[in-house]
Structures are given as structure tokens and as C-alpha cells.
Amino acid sequence: MDNRLKTLALCMLSSATLANAQTFLSDTQAMKRIQTTNKYVLLPVEESENLAHIRVIKDNNVVKEFNCKLAVNKVDYSVPLDVSEFGGDVLLDIQFTGEKKNTGSIQYFTCWKELKETNSFDTSNREKYRPLYHHTPPYGWMNDPNGIFYKDGVWHLYFQYNPFGSQWENMNWGHSTSRDLIHWTYEGVPIQPDALGVIYSGCCVVDKNNVAGFGKNAVIAFYTSAGTSQTQSIAYSLDNGKTFTKYAGNPIVTSNVPDFRDPKVFWNEDTQLWNLILAAGQQMSIYSSKNLKDWTFESHFGEGYGNHDGVWECPDLIKMGNKWVLLCNINPGGPYGGSATQYFVGHFDGHKFTCESAPTVTKWLDYGKDQYATVTFNNAPNGRIVAIPWMSNWQYGNHVPTLQFRSANGLPRELGLFSYQGESYISVKPSPEVFAAFSNKISTKLQPASYIEVTNIKGNASITLKNNQNEEVVMVYDAKKGTFSMDRNQSGVSDFSSEFKTVTTSPTYGAISGLQIFVDKSSVEVFDVDGKMAMTNIVFPTSPYTDVVAKGCKVKIHALK
């Protein structure tokens, strides 16, 4: 079709009624009227395409807007837009961005014939690499854990969530709940973007004494509103975190620092005040409050300390015994490239954090390549310090070989302290609920989801996971060097990123007597039995690992119950 005929066709289609078809306003803009009694409109996605900006219009007002990679040539998968909340009668104003190259005129884009209406959206697993005992979203993209808290026997996990594609975009808070930290129920998207911006990371606290005035035992979410600038906002829930009402006085904390985000709030028993810590560029800012609404700046921490090869993010400040630990997630700058979690041990008087180590000392929470944005649950029972990470790396998180969803959380882990050669370090151990998920009976073969108990380590040792495709993960303990390493260079699919193949190595801080290895469909996590070493790496074998070859140690394989 020559350009004159294309122009004529575009003009003819532009005059079509919106009740039954889309109309094309230009070569980059279209409108489509949705009039349906169905709950969802399924939007077809093509991940290699540019983002389209979609405005949902009801009664001449924009009621929702988001970005989605609408299919131009082919459909990778579809995502649901719930139109029932707007009465099933809306106008979609769609603006395509970027050059379309050789894809043809807008009226021929694949999305128009593949856009469907339905009352249900199938989230049953269609992915060979979806984990069996790690939390994942039912569909879409997930990164940082947010707002994690415990209340009335339920663990609440919120997370950075894109419900309109399986790559990073449109940050909302998704929500899942669990009673055992292993089996999770998806609860929906309770905090969505508004006029202040999309919803970045943050935390939740349980306001037991109603100091904020929203109600006794209200759950209060603190999050970053990421608009033109990054500001801090709050929302409150009176139904145990299922739904939230945004505070009319937002934002509550502002700054002229560009990277100003990820608030973590906690009650400081020593000072009888609430503290807030958040990332401000290459340092952390600390505030205090009596009512959770009005905050007083106290101090900064970070200049000259630890690793500064990337942006500081997702902080946490935790009391452990008579010391305090500051978690500082950084991207890039990790020990093996990309994102990772560093930490500082010291003292905190409610106003200022003082690190006990020399400024040049850098300590990493996990020496794998796929542990990031680690934060702890508020209000955990029995004084437990329970943390959970995002299990991926920003170098390739958007491109791992899944489509229905991307990314899982690492296993929940208990944090403590230990000393080695005059320095204090964080100990990391799997939460007790993790072990309860596995059978006590010993298996003869490695299953796609298994716990491997490694004992009788006397000196150097190695453990290799293998499949029938000559793919393997090789783990080596070098007693003389005091190191533990994991080689995933031949672990399986890796062509999605040149940064994926690697050998990660951790100091062991003394001798290792035993290891706990947790294998899931697409991950291998290793913990020293004494908590002195943790290593988290994702893998994508073309077929599951079925054999364990152990040298210099003994192994017992436990299958998932």
C-alpha cells in the first residue's frame, strides 16, 4: 500500500464509530471505546516493542493511566485491565511511542484483533521456571519487597509490581499473605499510582496505640511517591492491610535530592519515638516523630563509608542485642556486578547512627549475585528478625527466560550477629518455616524442589548439581583459603545476558562444618549451618538437576512435602 492509500485508509477508519471499533487519530494515536459487561479487557503484550501510554477515560475524566507494550507484530502474553470498577464503559486513549520502523501503519497493529473481553483471567502456571516454594506474583513483574509486616498470625508481603507487563514499569504495590512464609495467597493491588506519582518502595507499621489518629491497630504504609520529584507519602488500612486510604496531607517528607526514596519506619523503644530512615542519594537520612505524620530530620549517615559504586536504596535499621545494624542496598556496586546488599554494624541513639568499623570496610549480606532489596518484617513475633530479599539482579532482571511473570523472592531468613577477628557480622539462617516445608525422609534423587543437607565436612569439599544435558552448578569449599564458591557458568540457559555467567565466592569467617542448600526450579541458595555465609543465585537449567555429586562431605536430600 502506497502512502496515499495509507492516508486515505487512516482517514476512513478515523470516522468509524467508537462504539464498536477503534479510531485512529494519527500514525501514533488511537482511541477505543470499551462497552462490556465482562470484568476484564485483555491487553496483548509484545515485549520487544516500545511502550504505549494508555489513558482510561470515564465521563471525560482520566481515571487510570499506565504504560504497556501493546503488540504490534506478535503476542507474547496478555495482561488484564479491570474495567468493571468503572462500570464496563470507558474510553481508552492510546499513544504509541518510539519509531515503529517496518511494522506498518497503526491500523494493522496486532493488538487490535487480539484485544479481548473476558470475565476471567487464567493465572495457572505456564512457566517451567516458576519456583515451587518461593513467592512469585501470579503474573507481571515484581521487584523489591515492600511494607512487610506480621499481624494476627499472618505474614504480609507487599512488592513493587507491574500488573501490565512482565518487565519493570507502572510501579504499584502488589500484596500477598501467608501463615507459614512458604505458601502465599495473592491479594491484589491495594496501593496504586495517583497524582503524586507511581508507588515506589516503603514499609508498613502497626499503629497499636493510634498515635497517628487513623484508628487503633491501623496498618500504616509509608511509600515513595515518584512523580516529577520523589516525595514520601502515607496511607492507612483498617482491614489488616487489604485496602488502604491515602492520607490527605501527603506528601509528608520532601527534599531537593533527586534519589530520595524507600522509607523504613520503626518504633524505637529506647527513645520512645518513631524513627524513619530513607535513601538520599549516596547516603541515608534519619528522622524522628511522635505521631507518624510530622517528622524531624535528625542526621545523615554514609559519606565515606562502605561501597559507593551505585545508588543507595532500600535501607533498614535494626536493633540486634546491644548493637544496631543498618542495611544498605546498592545498585550497581555488588561484589559480582549489579545489585547487592551491604550493611554496617554500630550504634544508634535515636538521632545518629555510628558505624563501629573503619570507613573502608565493606560487608555484604549475601555473596551470591541474586539477592537484593533485603528488608525485615515489622512486628515479627517473639523478637524474631525475619528478612526477605528480591531474588534477581538489575543487570538482567528484565530479561530472564520467563514471560508470564518475572522474579521471585528469596527464602525468608533470620538475622543475628556473630564476631570474627574483632569484627561484628550479620548471621543469616533460613527461617524455621523453610525446614518445615520438607520431608524428613531421605530421597535418593534430587527433585526440582529439594533441600540438601551437607554434613561431615572435614576439609575441602565440593557439591555438584547435574542434569542429563551436561549442565551443572559446582560449589566448592576451600578450607585453607576460607572461601565458598558457586560456579553457574554451565548451569543452563544464559544467553539472555552477557552478565549472567559467573563464579561467586564468599569468605567463610572460619571453618564450615555443614551447609544447607535449597534448590528450586530456578534458584540455588546456600547457607552455612552457623549462619556465617549466605549465597543466592538463580539458574535456568534446560531440564531439572537430578544428581548430586559430593566430595569431601556427605549429603542427604529432602524432597518438598
Short mmCIF file of all heavy atoms in Angstrom, two decimals, residues 39-41 43 52-68 79-86 89-95 139 161-164 170-173 186 188-195 198-199 246:
data_model
loop_
_atom_site.label_atom_id
_atom_site.label_comp_id
_atom_site.label_asym_id
_atom_site.label_seq_id
_atom_site.Cartn_x
_atom_site.Cartn_y
_atom_site.Cartn_z
N LYS A 39 -15.64 -8.45 33.02
CA LYS A 39 -14.81 -7.81 34.05
C LYS A 39 -13.53 -7.23 33.46
O LYS A 39 -13.11 -6.13 33.83
CB LYS A 39 -14.46 -8.82 35.15
CG LYS A 39 -13.65 -8.26 36.31
CD LYS A 39 -13.44 -9.31 37.39
CE LYS A 39 -12.57 -8.81 38.53
NZ LYS A 39 -13.15 -7.67 39.25
N TYR A 40 -12.92 -7.95 32.52
CA TYR A 40 -11.59 -7.58 32.05
C TYR A 40 -11.57 -7.30 30.55
O TYR A 40 -12.35 -7.88 29.78
CB TYR A 40 -10.58 -8.69 32.31
CG TYR A 40 -10.40 -9.09 33.76
CD1 TYR A 40 -10.81 -10.35 34.21
CD2 TYR A 40 -9.82 -8.21 34.68
CE1 TYR A 40 -10.63 -10.73 35.52
CE2 TYR A 40 -9.64 -8.58 36.00
CZ TYR A 40 -10.05 -9.84 36.41
OH TYR A 40 -9.89 -10.21 37.71
N VAL A 41 -10.65 -6.45 30.17
CA VAL A 41 -10.17 -6.38 28.80
C VAL A 41 -8.74 -6.89 28.81
O VAL A 41 -7.91 -6.41 29.60
CB VAL A 41 -10.22 -4.93 28.26
CG1 VAL A 41 -9.52 -4.85 26.91
CG2 VAL A 41 -11.66 -4.46 28.13
N LEU A 43 -5.16 -7.12 27.40
CA LEU A 43 -4.27 -6.33 26.57
C LEU A 43 -3.13 -7.20 26.07
O LEU A 43 -2.37 -7.75 26.88
CB LEU A 43 -3.72 -5.14 27.35
CG LEU A 43 -4.74 -4.22 28.01
CD1 LEU A 43 -4.05 -3.17 28.86
CD2 LEU A 43 -5.64 -3.57 26.97
N ALA A 52 3.43 1.82 24.98
CA ALA A 52 2.29 2.66 24.62
C ALA A 52 1.73 3.24 25.91
O ALA A 52 1.64 2.53 26.92
CB ALA A 52 1.23 1.85 23.89
N HIS A 53 1.38 4.52 25.89
CA HIS A 53 0.79 5.15 27.07
C HIS A 53 -0.73 5.09 26.93
O HIS A 53 -1.30 5.55 25.94
CB HIS A 53 1.25 6.59 27.21
CG HIS A 53 0.76 7.24 28.46
ND1 HIS A 53 1.21 6.87 29.71
CD2 HIS A 53 -0.17 8.23 28.67
CE1 HIS A 53 0.60 7.60 30.63
NE2 HIS A 53 -0.24 8.43 30.03
N ILE A 54 -1.38 4.49 27.92
CA ILE A 54 -2.82 4.27 27.88
C ILE A 54 -3.50 5.09 28.97
O ILE A 54 -3.18 4.96 30.16
CB ILE A 54 -3.16 2.77 28.05
CG1 ILE A 54 -2.47 1.95 26.95
CG2 ILE A 54 -4.67 2.56 28.02
CD1 ILE A 54 -2.64 0.47 27.10
N ARG A 55 -4.43 5.92 28.55
CA ARG A 55 -5.27 6.68 29.50
C ARG A 55 -6.67 6.09 29.46
O ARG A 55 -7.28 5.97 28.40
CB ARG A 55 -5.32 8.16 29.13
CG ARG A 55 -3.95 8.85 29.16
CD ARG A 55 -4.10 10.38 29.15
NE ARG A 55 -4.98 10.82 28.07
CZ ARG A 55 -5.67 11.96 28.09
NH1 ARG A 55 -5.59 12.76 29.14
NH2 ARG A 55 -6.43 12.31 27.06
N VAL A 56 -7.18 5.73 30.63
CA VAL A 56 -8.54 5.21 30.75
C VAL A 56 -9.43 6.39 31.13
O VAL A 56 -9.25 7.01 32.18
CB VAL A 56 -8.62 4.09 31.81
CG1 VAL A 56 -10.03 3.52 31.87
CG2 VAL A 56 -7.61 2.99 31.48
N ILE A 57 -10.41 6.69 30.27
CA ILE A 57 -11.24 7.88 30.44
C ILE A 57 -12.68 7.46 30.73
O ILE A 57 -13.26 6.63 30.03
CB ILE A 57 -11.18 8.77 29.18
CG1 ILE A 57 -9.74 9.23 28.94
CG2 ILE A 57 -12.12 9.96 29.31
CD1 ILE A 57 -9.53 9.97 27.64
N LYS A 58 -13.23 8.04 31.78
CA LYS A 58 -14.62 7.78 32.17
C LYS A 58 -15.30 9.13 32.42
O LYS A 58 -14.80 9.94 33.21
CB LYS A 58 -14.66 6.92 33.45
CG LYS A 58 -16.05 6.67 34.01
CD LYS A 58 -16.82 5.68 33.16
CE LYS A 58 -18.15 5.30 33.83
NZ LYS A 58 -18.91 4.33 33.03
N ASP A 59 -16.39 9.37 31.73
CA ASP A 59 -17.13 10.64 31.88
C ASP A 59 -16.20 11.83 31.71
O ASP A 59 -16.24 12.80 32.49
CB ASP A 59 -17.82 10.69 33.25
CG ASP A 59 -18.85 9.59 33.42
OD1 ASP A 59 -19.42 9.14 32.42
OD2 ASP A 59 -19.07 9.17 34.58
N ASN A 60 -15.35 11.75 30.69
CA ASN A 60 -14.43 12.83 30.31
C ASN A 60 -13.30 13.07 31.32
O ASN A 60 -12.58 14.07 31.20
CB ASN A 60 -15.19 14.15 30.07
CG ASN A 60 -16.22 14.01 28.98
OD1 ASN A 60 -15.96 13.39 27.96
ND2 ASN A 60 -17.41 14.56 29.20
N ASN A 61 -13.13 12.17 32.28
CA ASN A 61 -12.05 12.29 33.26
C ASN A 61 -11.11 11.09 33.15
O ASN A 61 -11.55 9.96 32.92
CB ASN A 61 -12.61 12.36 34.69
CG ASN A 61 -13.40 13.62 34.94
OD1 ASN A 61 -12.91 14.72 34.69
ND2 ASN A 61 -14.63 13.47 35.43
N VAL A 62 -9.81 11.35 33.31
CA VAL A 62 -8.84 10.27 33.33
C VAL A 62 -8.93 9.57 34.69
O VAL A 62 -8.65 10.18 35.72
CB VAL A 62 -7.41 10.79 33.08
CG1 VAL A 62 -6.41 9.64 33.18
CG2 VAL A 62 -7.30 11.44 31.71
N VAL A 63 -9.30 8.31 34.69
CA VAL A 63 -9.45 7.56 35.93
C VAL A 63 -8.29 6.59 36.16
O VAL A 63 -8.14 6.07 37.27
CB VAL A 63 -10.79 6.79 35.95
CG1 VAL A 63 -11.96 7.77 36.02
CG2 VAL A 63 -10.92 5.88 34.73
N LYS A 64 -7.50 6.36 35.13
CA LYS A 64 -6.34 5.48 35.27
C LYS A 64 -5.44 5.73 34.07
O LYS A 64 -5.93 6.00 32.96
CB LYS A 64 -6.77 4.01 35.31
CG LYS A 64 -5.71 3.02 35.75
CD LYS A 64 -6.28 1.61 35.73
CE LYS A 64 -5.37 0.61 36.41
NZ LYS A 64 -5.33 0.79 37.88
N GLU A 65 -4.12 5.66 34.28
CA GLU A 65 -3.20 5.70 33.16
C GLU A 65 -1.96 4.88 33.48
O GLU A 65 -1.53 4.81 34.63
CB GLU A 65 -2.85 7.13 32.75
CG GLU A 65 -2.28 8.03 33.80
CD GLU A 65 -2.09 9.45 33.26
OE1 GLU A 65 -1.60 9.60 32.13
OE2 GLU A 65 -2.42 10.40 34.00
N PHE A 66 -1.44 4.25 32.44
CA PHE A 66 -0.31 3.36 32.62
C PHE A 66 0.37 3.15 31.28
O PHE A 66 -0.15 3.57 30.22
CB PHE A 66 -0.76 2.02 33.22
CG PHE A 66 -1.81 1.31 32.42
CD1 PHE A 66 -1.46 0.37 31.46
CD2 PHE A 66 -3.15 1.59 32.62
CE1 PHE A 66 -2.42 -0.29 30.72
CE2 PHE A 66 -4.13 0.94 31.87
CZ PHE A 66 -3.77 0.01 30.92
N ASN A 67 1.52 2.48 31.31
CA ASN A 67 2.26 2.14 30.09
C ASN A 67 2.19 0.64 29.86
O ASN A 67 2.26 -0.15 30.80
CB ASN A 67 3.71 2.57 30.21
CG ASN A 67 3.85 4.08 30.32
OD1 ASN A 67 3.13 4.83 29.67
ND2 ASN A 67 4.78 4.54 31.16
N CYS A 68 2.09 0.25 28.60
CA CYS A 68 2.01 -1.17 28.26
C CYS A 68 2.61 -1.36 26.86
O CYS A 68 2.35 -0.55 25.96
CB CYS A 68 0.56 -1.64 28.29
SG CYS A 68 0.32 -3.39 27.94
N VAL A 79 -2.29 -9.25 29.45
CA VAL A 79 -2.47 -8.83 30.84
C VAL A 79 -3.87 -8.21 30.97
O VAL A 79 -4.39 -7.65 30.01
CB VAL A 79 -1.39 -7.81 31.26
CG1 VAL A 79 -0.03 -8.47 31.32
CG2 VAL A 79 -1.37 -6.59 30.33
N PRO A 80 -4.47 -8.32 32.17
CA PRO A 80 -5.85 -7.86 32.31
C PRO A 80 -5.95 -6.40 32.76
O PRO A 80 -5.22 -5.95 33.64
CB PRO A 80 -6.39 -8.79 33.40
CG PRO A 80 -5.20 -9.08 34.27
CD PRO A 80 -4.01 -9.09 33.35
N LEU A 81 -6.86 -5.68 32.16
CA LEU A 81 -7.28 -4.37 32.64
C LEU A 81 -8.70 -4.53 33.17
O LEU A 81 -9.62 -4.89 32.42
CB LEU A 81 -7.25 -3.35 31.51
CG LEU A 81 -7.91 -1.98 31.81
CD1 LEU A 81 -7.19 -1.27 32.94
CD2 LEU A 81 -7.96 -1.12 30.56
N ASP A 82 -8.88 -4.30 34.47
CA ASP A 82 -10.19 -4.45 35.10
C ASP A 82 -11.03 -3.22 34.78
O ASP A 82 -10.78 -2.13 35.31
CB ASP A 82 -10.02 -4.63 36.61
CG ASP A 82 -11.32 -4.96 37.31
OD1 ASP A 82 -12.40 -4.81 36.70
OD2 ASP A 82 -11.28 -5.35 38.49
N VAL A 83 -12.02 -3.37 33.92
CA VAL A 83 -12.90 -2.25 33.57
C VAL A 83 -14.19 -2.27 34.37
O VAL A 83 -14.98 -1.32 34.30
CB VAL A 83 -13.21 -2.23 32.05
CG1 VAL A 83 -11.94 -1.94 31.26
CG2 VAL A 83 -13.83 -3.56 31.60
N SER A 84 -14.41 -3.33 35.13
CA SER A 84 -15.65 -3.43 35.90
C SER A 84 -15.73 -2.35 36.97
O SER A 84 -16.83 -1.90 37.32
CB SER A 84 -15.77 -4.82 36.55
OG SER A 84 -14.77 -5.03 37.52
N GLU A 85 -14.57 -1.94 37.50
CA GLU A 85 -14.59 -0.90 38.53
C GLU A 85 -15.04 0.45 37.98
O GLU A 85 -15.37 1.36 38.73
CB GLU A 85 -13.21 -0.76 39.19
CG GLU A 85 -12.08 -0.43 38.24
CD GLU A 85 -10.73 -0.36 38.94
OE1 GLU A 85 -10.61 0.41 39.91
OE2 GLU A 85 -9.82 -1.09 38.51
N PHE A 86 -15.08 0.58 36.65
CA PHE A 86 -15.57 1.80 36.02
C PHE A 86 -16.89 1.57 35.29
O PHE A 86 -17.28 2.35 34.41
CB PHE A 86 -14.52 2.33 35.02
CG PHE A 86 -13.14 2.42 35.59
CD1 PHE A 86 -12.11 1.65 35.06
CD2 PHE A 86 -12.86 3.23 36.68
CE1 PHE A 86 -10.83 1.71 35.59
CE2 PHE A 86 -11.58 3.30 37.22
CZ PHE A 86 -10.57 2.54 36.67
N ASP A 89 -17.69 0.68 30.96
CA ASP A 89 -17.87 1.62 29.84
C ASP A 89 -16.81 2.70 29.97
O ASP A 89 -16.95 3.64 30.75
CB ASP A 89 -19.27 2.22 29.88
CG ASP A 89 -19.56 3.12 28.68
OD1 ASP A 89 -18.65 3.34 27.87
OD2 ASP A 89 -20.70 3.62 28.59
N VAL A 90 -15.74 2.56 29.20
CA VAL A 90 -14.63 3.51 29.26
C VAL A 90 -14.11 3.78 27.85
O VAL A 90 -14.36 3.02 26.92
CB VAL A 90 -13.47 3.00 30.15
CG1 VAL A 90 -13.89 2.88 31.60
CG2 VAL A 90 -12.92 1.68 29.61
N LEU A 91 -13.36 4.84 27.74
CA LEU A 91 -12.66 5.17 26.51
C LEU A 91 -11.17 5.01 26.75
O LEU A 91 -10.63 5.58 27.70
CB LEU A 91 -12.97 6.61 26.09
CG LEU A 91 -12.26 7.13 24.83
CD1 LEU A 91 -12.74 6.37 23.60
CD2 LEU A 91 -12.48 8.63 24.68
N LEU A 92 -10.50 4.21 25.92
CA LEU A 92 -9.05 4.06 26.00
C LEU A 92 -8.40 5.01 25.01
O LEU A 92 -8.65 4.92 23.79
CB LEU A 92 -8.63 2.63 25.70
CG LEU A 92 -9.23 1.51 26.56
CD1 LEU A 92 -8.62 0.17 26.17
CD2 LEU A 92 -9.06 1.78 28.03
N ASP A 93 -7.58 5.91 25.51
CA ASP A 93 -6.79 6.82 24.66
C ASP A 93 -5.37 6.29 24.66
O ASP A 93 -4.69 6.31 25.69
CB ASP A 93 -6.87 8.23 25.23
CG ASP A 93 -6.08 9.24 24.41
OD1 ASP A 93 -5.64 8.89 23.30
OD2 ASP A 93 -5.89 10.37 24.89
N ILE A 94 -4.91 5.82 23.51
CA ILE A 94 -3.64 5.09 23.41
C ILE A 94 -2.66 5.88 22.56
O ILE A 94 -2.94 6.18 21.39
CB ILE A 94 -3.87 3.69 22.81
CG1 ILE A 94 -4.90 2.92 23.64
CG2 ILE A 94 -2.55 2.92 22.73
CD1 ILE A 94 -5.38 1.65 22.98
N GLN A 95 -1.51 6.17 23.14
CA GLN A 95 -0.45 6.90 22.44
C GLN A 95 0.77 5.99 22.31
O GLN A 95 1.37 5.61 23.32
CB GLN A 95 -0.08 8.18 23.20
CG GLN A 95 0.99 9.01 22.53
CD GLN A 95 0.47 9.78 21.33
OE1 GLN A 95 -0.53 10.46 21.42
NE2 GLN A 95 1.17 9.67 20.21
N TYR A 139 1.24 -13.10 37.91
CA TYR A 139 1.62 -12.66 36.58
C TYR A 139 2.26 -11.28 36.73
O TYR A 139 2.15 -10.63 37.77
CB TYR A 139 0.41 -12.58 35.64
CG TYR A 139 -0.61 -11.54 36.03
CD1 TYR A 139 -0.59 -10.27 35.47
CD2 TYR A 139 -1.59 -11.83 36.98
CE1 TYR A 139 -1.51 -9.31 35.84
CE2 TYR A 139 -2.51 -10.88 37.37
CZ TYR A 139 -2.47 -9.62 36.80
OH TYR A 139 -3.38 -8.67 37.18
N TYR A 161 5.34 -3.80 41.85
CA TYR A 161 4.56 -4.65 40.96
C TYR A 161 4.12 -3.89 39.71
O TYR A 161 3.62 -2.76 39.80
CB TYR A 161 3.33 -5.15 41.71
CG TYR A 161 2.49 -6.17 40.98
CD1 TYR A 161 3.07 -7.22 40.30
CD2 TYR A 161 1.10 -6.09 41.02
CE1 TYR A 161 2.30 -8.18 39.66
CE2 TYR A 161 0.32 -7.04 40.38
CZ TYR A 161 0.91 -8.07 39.69
OH TYR A 161 0.14 -9.01 39.05
N ASN A 162 4.33 -4.52 38.55
CA ASN A 162 3.77 -4.04 37.30
C ASN A 162 2.72 -5.04 36.83
O ASN A 162 3.06 -6.11 36.32
CB ASN A 162 4.85 -3.89 36.22
CG ASN A 162 4.27 -3.45 34.88
OD1 ASN A 162 3.13 -2.99 34.80
ND2 ASN A 162 5.07 -3.59 33.83
N PRO A 163 1.43 -4.73 36.96
CA PRO A 163 0.40 -5.66 36.51
C PRO A 163 0.11 -5.60 35.01
O PRO A 163 -0.74 -6.34 34.53
CB PRO A 163 -0.83 -5.23 37.32
CG PRO A 163 -0.61 -3.78 37.59
CD PRO A 163 0.87 -3.56 37.66
N PHE A 164 0.84 -4.73 34.29
CA PHE A 164 0.58 -4.55 32.86
C PHE A 164 1.77 -4.97 31.99
O PHE A 164 1.96 -4.47 30.90
CB PHE A 164 0.19 -3.11 32.57
CG PHE A 164 -1.07 -2.70 33.29
CD1 PHE A 164 -1.03 -1.77 34.31
CD2 PHE A 164 -2.28 -3.29 32.97
CE1 PHE A 164 -2.19 -1.41 34.99
CE2 PHE A 164 -3.45 -2.94 33.64
CZ PHE A 164 -3.41 -2.00 34.66
N ASN A 170 5.29 1.01 35.62
CA ASN A 170 3.99 1.19 36.32
C ASN A 170 4.03 0.73 37.77
O ASN A 170 3.23 -0.12 38.19
CB ASN A 170 2.89 0.38 35.62
CG ASN A 170 2.78 0.66 34.15
OD1 ASN A 170 2.68 1.81 33.73
ND2 ASN A 170 2.82 -0.39 33.35
N MET A 171 4.90 1.25 38.60
CA MET A 171 5.05 0.70 39.93
C MET A 171 3.82 0.92 40.81
O MET A 171 3.39 2.04 41.08
CB MET A 171 6.29 1.27 40.61
CG MET A 171 7.60 0.69 40.06
SD MET A 171 7.80 -1.10 40.32
CE MET A 171 7.21 -1.77 38.76
N ASN A 172 3.25 -0.21 41.22
CA ASN A 172 2.18 -0.33 42.20
C ASN A 172 2.72 -1.13 43.39
O ASN A 172 3.83 -1.65 43.33
CB ASN A 172 0.99 -1.09 41.63
CG ASN A 172 0.32 -0.40 40.45
OD1 ASN A 172 -0.79 0.09 40.56
ND2 ASN A 172 0.97 -0.38 39.30
N TRP A 173 1.90 -1.28 44.43
CA TRP A 173 2.19 -2.27 45.46
C TRP A 173 1.26 -3.47 45.26
O TRP A 173 0.03 -3.34 45.41
CB TRP A 173 1.97 -1.70 46.86
CG TRP A 173 3.15 -0.98 47.43
CD1 TRP A 173 4.18 -0.42 46.75
CD2 TRP A 173 3.39 -0.73 48.82
NE1 TRP A 173 5.06 0.17 47.62
CE2 TRP A 173 4.61 0.01 48.89
CE3 TRP A 173 2.71 -1.02 49.99
CZ2 TRP A 173 5.15 0.43 50.12
CZ3 TRP A 173 3.24 -0.60 51.21
CH2 TRP A 173 4.45 0.11 51.26
N TYR A 186 -2.17 -14.50 46.74
CA TYR A 186 -2.18 -13.17 46.12
C TYR A 186 -3.46 -12.44 46.51
O TYR A 186 -4.55 -12.98 46.41
CB TYR A 186 -2.08 -13.31 44.61
CG TYR A 186 -2.19 -12.01 43.85
CD1 TYR A 186 -1.22 -11.03 43.97
CD2 TYR A 186 -3.26 -11.78 42.99
CE1 TYR A 186 -1.31 -9.84 43.26
CE2 TYR A 186 -3.36 -10.61 42.27
CZ TYR A 186 -2.39 -9.63 42.42
OH TYR A 186 -2.49 -8.46 41.70
N GLY A 188 -4.08 -8.95 45.56
CA GLY A 188 -4.46 -7.83 44.71
C GLY A 188 -3.46 -6.69 44.75
O GLY A 188 -2.30 -6.85 45.16
N VAL A 189 -3.91 -5.50 44.33
CA VAL A 189 -3.05 -4.32 44.19
C VAL A 189 -3.66 -3.19 45.03
O VAL A 189 -4.44 -2.36 44.53
CB VAL A 189 -2.93 -3.90 42.71
CG1 VAL A 189 -1.91 -2.78 42.55
CG2 VAL A 189 -2.56 -5.09 41.84
N PRO A 190 -3.32 -3.11 46.32
CA PRO A 190 -4.01 -2.19 47.21
C PRO A 190 -3.54 -0.74 47.17
O PRO A 190 -4.25 0.16 47.62
CB PRO A 190 -3.75 -2.78 48.60
CG PRO A 190 -2.42 -3.44 48.45
CD PRO A 190 -2.38 -3.98 47.05
N ILE A 191 -2.32 -0.48 46.66
CA ILE A 191 -1.83 0.90 46.59
C ILE A 191 -1.38 1.16 45.16
O ILE A 191 -0.42 0.55 44.67
CB ILE A 191 -0.68 1.16 47.58
CG1 ILE A 191 -1.13 0.81 49.02
CG2 ILE A 191 -0.24 2.62 47.51
CD1 ILE A 191 -0.09 1.08 50.08
N GLN A 192 -2.09 2.08 44.50
CA GLN A 192 -1.87 2.34 43.09
C GLN A 192 -1.44 3.78 42.87
O GLN A 192 -1.63 4.64 43.73
CB GLN A 192 -3.16 2.05 42.31
CG GLN A 192 -3.65 0.62 42.46
CD GLN A 192 -4.89 0.32 41.65
OE1 GLN A 192 -5.16 0.95 40.63
NE2 GLN A 192 -5.67 -0.66 42.10
N PRO A 193 -0.86 4.08 41.71
CA PRO A 193 -0.39 5.44 41.43
C PRO A 193 -1.51 6.48 41.54
O PRO A 193 -2.70 6.17 41.37
CB PRO A 193 0.12 5.34 39.99
CG PRO A 193 0.50 3.90 39.82
CD PRO A 193 -0.51 3.14 40.62
N ASP A 194 -1.10 7.70 41.80
CA ASP A 194 -2.04 8.81 41.89
C ASP A 194 -1.38 10.06 41.33
O ASP A 194 -0.35 9.98 40.65
CB ASP A 194 -2.51 9.01 43.34
CG ASP A 194 -1.36 9.21 44.32
OD1 ASP A 194 -0.30 9.76 43.92
OD2 ASP A 194 -1.49 8.80 45.49
N ALA A 195 -1.95 11.21 41.62
CA ALA A 195 -1.43 12.46 41.06
C ALA A 195 -0.02 12.79 41.52
O ALA A 195 0.69 13.56 40.87
CB ALA A 195 -2.38 13.62 41.40
N VAL A 198 3.91 7.40 40.66
CA VAL A 198 3.81 5.96 40.85
C VAL A 198 4.31 5.61 42.25
O VAL A 198 4.90 6.45 42.95
CB VAL A 198 4.60 5.19 39.77
CG1 VAL A 198 3.98 5.40 38.41
CG2 VAL A 198 6.07 5.61 39.76
N ILE A 199 4.09 4.38 42.66
CA ILE A 199 4.33 3.99 44.05
C ILE A 199 5.62 3.20 44.15
O ILE A 199 5.70 2.04 43.74
CB ILE A 199 3.15 3.16 44.60
CG1 ILE A 199 1.82 3.84 44.29
CG2 ILE A 199 3.33 2.94 46.10
CD1 ILE A 199 1.65 5.23 44.87
N LYS A 246 -5.45 6.79 51.26
CA LYS A 246 -4.29 7.67 51.24
C LYS A 246 -4.55 8.92 52.09
O LYS A 246 -5.64 9.48 52.07
CB LYS A 246 -3.93 8.04 49.80
CG LYS A 246 -3.35 6.85 49.03
CD LYS A 246 -3.16 7.14 47.57
CE LYS A 246 -2.60 5.92 46.85
NZ LYS A 246 -2.56 6.09 45.39
#
